[in-house]
Amino acid sequence: MRIGELAERSGTTTRTLRYYESRGLLPARRGGNGYRTYDDADLRALRQIRTLQDFGFELEETRPFVECLRAGHPEGDSCPASLAVYRRKLGELDALIGELTAVRQKVGAQLERAEEAMDALAGEDPSPRCELGG
């Protein structure tokens, strides 16, 4: 298939496909007429790349998965290098979750303090007064 058909079938653009080619993730095969040519294996690799990117993987992190497919494995994540990328990504996600949990706890504590202060003022006139002459 030609580049336009591959782009259409994979839901991406020809520009993206040329970028993937420049990064070595898609082959740079040319037909006798000079047009880029692709096959179903290229479509599978492209779908693997797009799926991983949807999960938040950087483009370079998809390389082991593509190489695994190109080596003839039925799935891009059935090779040790792919599993290592999964493990590394899970470690990154766990670290981010830890950071977000800490921030959430701080914001929750601040909200609790603010609500307690507001409750303490409940008996007073809650409308603000302008001290600058108003």
Side-chain angles (χ1 to χ4, degrees):
M1 75 187 90
R2 291 183 28 193
I3 194 168
E5 182 182 352
L6 180 63
E8 184 178 326
R9 288 179 65 184
S10 64
T12 192
T13 64
T14 57
R15 182 178 179 182
T16 298
L17 297 180
R18 287 191 298 271
Y19 178 69
Y20 292 168
E21 180 184 310
S22 74
R23 300 295 305 266
L25 292 168
L26 283 177
R29 294 185 307 268
R30 302 257 181 188
N33 56 8
Y35 292 131
R36 290 174 173 88
T37 61
Y38 301 94
D39 58 23
D40 287 336
D42 299 319
L43 181 59
R44 283 184 54 223
L46 185 56
R47 286 182 175 154
Q48 179 76 75
I49 292 168
R50 304 294 291 165
T51 298
L52 291 169
Q53 286 194 303
D54 288 347
F55 292 160
F57 285 66
E58 297 294 325
L59 184 59
E60 192 57 34
E61 292 174 313
T62 69
R63 186 174 302 281
F65 297 86
V66 172
E67 290 171 353
C68 190
L69 286 172
R70 297 244 182 261
H73 295 274
E75 301 293 330
D77 58 6
S78 58
C79 294
S82 303
L83 298 177
V85 172
Y86 276 151
R87 286 185 195 100
R88 187 171 51 250
K89 183 57 82 174
L90 282 174
E92 291 173 10
L93 291 170
D94 288 342
L96 288 172
I97 290 168
E99 291 173 22
L100 288 172
T101 300
V103 169
R104 187 186 191 294
Q105 289 171 345
K106 289 176 184 176
V107 171
Q110 186 64 31
L111 173 62
E112 188 176 324
R113 282 192 293 275
E115 288 174 337
E116 288 172 1
M118 203 165 157
D119 288 345
L121 294 175
E124 299 178 20
D125 181 9
S127 57
R129 297 177 192 235
C130 179
E131 296 181 9
L132 297 177

